[in-house]
Amino acid sequence: MPRRMFVFDPPDRFVAGTIGVPGSRTFFIQARRAGQVVSVVLEKVQVAVLAERLGVLLDELESRGITAPVEPSADEKPLDEPINEAFRATTLTLGWDGDAERILVEARAEDEDEDDDEEEEADEVEDDDEPVIDLSTVEGLAGSAAGELLAAFEAADDDAEGPDTLRVRLTPDVARGFVNRAIEVVAAGRLPCPLCGQPLDPQGHICPRRNGHYVN
């Protein structure tokens, strides 16, 4: 199946959001430009790590004087309709395009053309294992000189074959707004149990600190 590339350079809006009730939420990142809306499904942990690493990148750029600190306006609106899943992302990548002064964010679906060995390894992964999050480009920024900040997608493969991909280029203020909202979205889930700290379902949960009894 031909690869689908969704490119927003720049988007009119780029946010994280959810549908569903706490405990059964589906997490999305969503890009919009004019009449085009693309929604990509992520795991909660992916949204949390993306927000964290994007915040690290922005702080690093500001500390070097490459970008100025900004106070973005809060975006509290719901996700744009229609919310149709374009794909489910398994890999996220960040980078900095110094020439254009843009943050680069890329989400990619699972590559269906992996070799047999990789497929066998994937079959052995348990359901509760964390998804793949490739943010190594951000990890390496702390030790590099300002002039060496490179776009993560300089060598990106734009062949017709490959996994579906969402690619956005953000100004620092839009990226900071994304971080602030994503942190709030992740934190808006189930309240922690006052005894064990595990997420508390609306009807309660079996608490190990209460010898298997319900806490609500």
Side-chain angles (χ1 to χ4, degrees):
M1 184 175 179
R3 180 187 197 184
R4 296 182 300 170
M5 289 288 300
F6 304 100
V7 180
F8 293 81
D9 184 13
D12 294 332
R13 187 187 191 212
F14 182 61
V15 295
T18 64
I19 58 173
V21 299
S24 300
R25 296 188 297 170
T26 301
F27 286 76
F28 292 88
I29 54 173
Q30 186 182 77
R32 182 193 72 202
R33 182 175 177 83
Q36 183 184 20
V37 177
V38 174
S39 304
V40 174
V41 175
L42 271 68
E43 299 294 339
K44 179 179 180 179
V45 65
Q46 288 177 299
V47 176
V49 174
L50 177 59
E52 176 190 354
R53 297 308 185 190
L54 187 49
V56 169
L57 174 57
L58 289 166
D59 291 343
E60 181 71 19
L61 294 171
E62 291 175 5
S63 70
R64 299 181 183 185
I66 299 174
T67 62
V70 293
E71 189 63 37
S73 57
D75 185 341
E76 299 179 352
K77 296 180 181 179
L79 294 172
D80 290 309
E81 300 284 352
I83 305 174
N84 297 321
E85 176 184 333
F87 61 87
R88 182 176 294 269
T90 59
T91 304
L92 303 171
T93 310
L94 295 180
W96 168 249
D97 183 342
D99 293 334
E101 295 189 348
R102 293 291 186 269
I103 303 289
L104 307 175
V105 180
E106 186 172 276
R108 294 188 297 276
E110 182 177 5
D111 191 346
E112 297 179 355
D113 295 329
E114 294 177 342
D115 59 36
D116 294 339
D117 290 340
E118 290 176 335
E119 290 180 357
E120 291 176 0
E121 291 177 1
D123 291 339
E124 296 175 357
V125 176
E126 297 182 0
D127 292 339
D128 58 354
D129 284 354
E130 292 187 358
V132 175
I133 304 175
D134 179 10
L135 299 179
S136 57
T137 52
V138 178
E139 297 279 5
L141 288 177
S144 62
E148 296 175 349
L149 293 173
L150 300 177
F153 311 136
E154 287 286 330
D157 184 2
D158 289 330
D159 291 341
E161 300 298 326
D164 289 347
T165 301
L166 169 66
R167 182 180 299 169
V168 295
R169 291 174 179 261
L170 310 171
T171 59
D173 59 327
V174 173
R176 182 66 75 181
F178 175 89
V179 170
N180 293 344
R181 174 175 170 134
I183 292 173
E184 293 179 358
V185 166
V186 170
R190 293 173 289 175
L191 295 174
C193 171
L195 299 179
C196 70
Q198 295 182 9
L200 189 63
D201 293 327
Q203 70 274 18
H205 82 133
I206 298 176
C207 180
R209 296 289 297 276
R210 290 289 299 276
N211 296 321
H213 291 84
Y214 267 92
V215 172
N216 54 27

